[in-house]
Amino acid sequence: MQVLIVDGANVVGSRPDGWWRDRPGAARRLHEQLAVAELPQHEVVLVLEGAATRGVPAEQDRGVRTVHAAGSGDDTIVELVRSYVDEAQDSDVVVVTADRVLRQRVEAAGGRHVGPSWLLDRL
């Protein structure tokens, strides 16, 4: 199974489009773009934290599973990678982030990573 986990804060923060004035709105716009995108993965998971969680409910909606991080979004992403890798050894788990430390943690958990531009080019 191919899984794409999106670091919502990192992807939204990669574009200086005024997202900081409306974090919930920025999260909602990203979710809407993910919901209509033609992506190669079987499952898309959007991880949100902080104020952005008010923009999209934590649920499965239009092909995107939204997860609200109870604490650190990075910790939640690493837990998700481990969970998918442990669940199905043949899973290809890809995390969208530019965060160098998170990318190292993702690799250690058995996942791969791509930068935000990879995703934004497909939205």
Side-chain angles (χ1 to χ4, degrees):
M1 177 161 83
Q2 294 180 321
V3 180
L4 184 70
I5 300 174
V6 179
D7 180 349
N10 195 269
V11 172
V12 166
S14 70
R15 296 181 287 190
D17 61 1
W19 59 265
W20 52 90
R21 291 188 292 267
D22 181 14
R23 292 171 196 262
R28 189 172 36 259
R29 287 188 297 278
L30 177 58
H31 179 273
E32 290 169 1
Q33 291 174 312
L34 289 168
V36 298
E38 297 279 336
L39 297 169
Q41 287 77 17
H42 299 110
E43 185 167 351
V44 177
V45 181
L46 172 61
V47 178
L48 300 174
E49 60 186 308
T53 61
R54 294 192 310 268
V56 184
E59 63 185 13
Q60 179 81 26
D61 179 40
R62 299 186 307 165
V64 179
R65 175 182 167 208
T66 301
V67 174
H68 290 175
S72 161
D74 291 2
D75 290 346
T76 300
I77 290 168
V78 172
E79 289 173 24
L80 285 166
V81 171
R82 285 188 184 123
S83 174
Y84 281 109
V85 168
D86 289 347
E87 184 177 301
Q89 294 298 318
D90 62 344
S91 287
D92 179 27
V93 183
V94 179
V95 174
V96 182
T97 188
D99 182 309
R100 288 182 182 159
V101 173
L102 178 56
R103 290 186 308 194
Q104 292 171 348
R105 294 177 65 195
V106 164
E107 287 178 4
R112 297 185 302 119
H113 55 81
V114 294
S117 62
W118 177 91
L119 178 62
L120 295 172
D121 289 347
R122 287 158 177 76
L123 297 182

